[in-house]
Amino acid sequence: MKYEETTRRRNVIYKGKIVALRRDDALLPNGQACVREVVEHPGGACVLCLHEGKVVLVRQFRYAYGEELLEIPAGKLEGGEDPAAAAKRELEEETGLRAERMNLLFTLYPSPGYCDEKIYLYEAEQVTSGVRHPDRDEFLDVCELAPETAFRYMEEGVIRDAKTIVALLFLKEKLSAGH
Amino acid sequence: MKYEETTRRRNVIYKGKIVALRRDDALLPNGQACVREVVEHPGGACVLCLHEGKVVLVRQFRYAYGEELLEIPAGKLEGGEDPAAAAKRELEEETGLRAERMNLLFTLYPSPGYCDEKIYLYEAEQVTSGVRHPDRDEFLDVCELAPETAFRYMEEGVIRDAKTIVALLFLKEKLSAGH
């Protein structure tokens, strides 16, 4: 069966640096009025990258959680940027590594109940070393882990970021299948 | 190295039905002033559930994307609800299936750059049939897929929801390891 909700009125509550927020008047599939809150986000790109056999992660403080998290390199799309280009840029800015090619693994919808963000998850191919040049307001450490260590961190809940868990589960399956 | 950002002032922009939004004045690890946007969410629970060998999914319209999505059963925590209880409740409301036990697989942080949501992903154990009773404003169809079909949908990008992809990658590895 096909369900659809329709917009009666878009109401912008906030337009900020990273997110915007709407509180729309909409109609449910049965025609009943409802309110839908939507967090708008420009989308992001992230990279599963192996360097000398290790998984490349970055550790940074995440204000929303008040915690340091271990994540794969990632960042938001700048002004309609191509996601593969953004993935290359973020990888190089954050870790100094360059990838010749980016292979799209998944387009992830992180929280579809209220958010329109799309996260493009790539696998870096033909990786070479370069020079780090993080954004001025980015404070992070690069952390290269043996795959087995990364998998254990994921299983123990040390790694909690969803896109990173998708990347690690993908890698685990790939390594066990012996591709 | 330990990085930390500190809050100078919390500024609530919006308090709504599902999300709230803050725009805090904060200090970067180097002491420089910055602004941090935070989407607050009460957290959610979701369930990987096999029923008669099939993966239980629900198809529903997601307003933020303007698309119908296939996802594992999920919902937000109601007023400080225990996540395992929420997972059981949502599974039963949305699909009519009851699970005796819920085994926590992952605590997922869906979008740590701006959002504080935690998604508790459970595996349902000892599943039996019951009666569906969806919320009045939930319009969804239950869709039971053979694991191989679900994996193919994930690989083809038909399934895009992040928590569902984590659940399916976990299941794929579990089945291939022959647990």
Side-chain angles (χ1 to χ4, degrees):
Chain A
M1 193 164 157
K2 182 82 183 160
Y3 295 122
E4 196 161 341
E5 297 174 2
T6 48
T7 306
R8 292 174 71 197
R9 189 192 163 113
R10 290 164 65 97
N11 306 298
V12 176
I13 303 284
Y14 174 80
K15 259 183 148 12
K17 202 175 67 156
I18 297 178
V19 297
L21 178 68
R22 302 200 324 265
R23 186 180 182 281
D24 289 1
D25 301 314
L27 294 176
L28 292 172
N30 66 356
Q32 198 187 318
C34 72
V35 166
R36 288 293 183 210
E37 295 166 343
V38 178
V39 173
E40 297 180 352
H41 184 278
C46 58
V47 195
L48 168 61
C49 177
L50 289 180
H51 181 232
E52 297 172 352
K54 303 255 179 111
V55 183
V56 179
L57 298 171
V58 296
R59 186 203 311 274
Q60 66 193 307
F61 187 83
R62 289 303 206 171
Y63 183 84
Y65 291 106
E67 298 171 18
E68 276 193 342
L69 294 184
L70 268 176
E71 299 167 54
I72 55 175
K76 68 176 196 295
L77 306 184
E78 308 288 354
E81 188 180 22
D82 171 63
K88 278 191 188 187
R89 178 180 53 70
E90 290 288 348
L91 179 66
E92 194 173 344
E93 285 177 4
E94 295 188 351
T95 71
L97 298 169
R98 283 164 174 267
E100 275 305 301
R101 287 192 54 213
M102 287 288 175
N103 174 33
L104 183 65
L105 299 179
F106 296 102
T107 301
L108 302 171
Y109 289 13
S111 214
Y114 59 91
C115 181
D116 74 352
E117 181 182 6
K118 297 183 182 181
I119 301 175
Y120 301 88
L121 168 56
Y122 292 90
E123 186 177 29
E125 296 182 351
Q126 296 171 264
V127 176
T128 53
S129 296
V131 181
R132 274 185 69 189
H133 39 92
D135 283 352
R136 279 192 315 161
D137 66 347
E138 252 176 344
F139 297 85
L140 52 81
D141 292 324
V142 180
C143 186
E144 300 192 355
L145 296 182
E148 290 312 318
T149 308
F151 301 152
R152 185 163 51 80
Y153 281 8
M154 169 180 74
E155 282 148 23
E156 291 173 349
V158 173
I159 291 175
R160 299 181 286 277
D161 171 52
K163 62 187 179 296
T164 304
I165 291 176
V166 169
L168 291 175
L169 287 170
F170 171 86
L171 177 65
K172 194 172 180 183
E173 201 233 338
K174 181 173 169 170
L175 294 179
S176 75
H179 285 292
Chain B
M1 194 165 157
K2 183 82 186 162
Y3 296 122
E4 194 160 343
E5 298 175 2
T6 47
T7 306
R8 292 173 71 196
R9 190 192 162 114
R10 291 163 65 97
N11 306 297
V12 176
I13 303 284
Y14 173 79
K15 259 183 145 17
K17 202 174 65 157
I18 296 177
V19 296
L21 179 68
R22 302 199 325 261
R23 185 179 183 284
D24 289 1
D25 300 314
L27 294 177
L28 291 173
N30 65 357
Q32 197 187 317
C34 72
V35 165
R36 288 294 183 209
E37 296 165 343
V38 178
V39 173
E40 297 180 352
H41 183 279
C46 59
V47 194
L48 168 61
C49 177
L50 289 180
H51 181 231
E52 296 171 352
K54 304 252 178 110
V55 183
V56 179
L57 298 171
V58 296
R59 185 201 313 274
Q60 66 192 306
F61 187 84
R62 289 303 205 172
Y63 183 85
Y65 291 106
E67 298 172 18
E68 276 193 342
L69 294 184
L70 267 175
E71 299 167 55
I72 55 175
K76 70 174 194 296
L77 306 184
E78 308 287 357
E81 189 179 22
D82 171 64
K88 280 191 186 186
R89 178 180 54 71
E90 290 289 347
L91 179 65
E92 193 172 344
E93 284 176 5
E94 294 188 351
T95 72
L97 298 170
R98 284 163 175 266
E100 275 304 301
R101 285 193 54 213
M102 287 288 175
N103 175 32
L104 183 66
L105 299 178
F106 296 103
T107 302
L108 301 171
Y109 288 14
S111 213
Y114 59 91
C115 181
D116 74 353
E117 180 183 6
K118 297 183 182 181
I119 302 176
Y120 301 89
L121 168 56
Y122 292 90
E123 186 178 28
E125 296 181 351
Q126 296 172 263
V127 176
T128 53
S129 297
V131 180
R132 273 186 68 188
H133 39 93
D135 282 354
R136 279 192 316 162
D137 66 346
E138 251 176 343
F139 297 86
L140 52 82
D141 291 326
V142 179
C143 186
E144 300 192 356
L145 296 181
E148 290 311 318
T149 308
F151 301 153
R152 185 163 52 78
Y153 280 8
M154 170 179 73
E155 281 148 22
E156 291 173 349
V158 174
I159 291 175
R160 300 181 285 279
D161 170 51
K163 63 187 177 296
T164 303
I165 291 176
V166 169
L168 291 175
L169 287 169
F170 172 87
L171 177 64
K172 194 172 180 184
E173 201 234 337
K174 181 173 169 170
L175 294 179
S176 76
H179 284 295

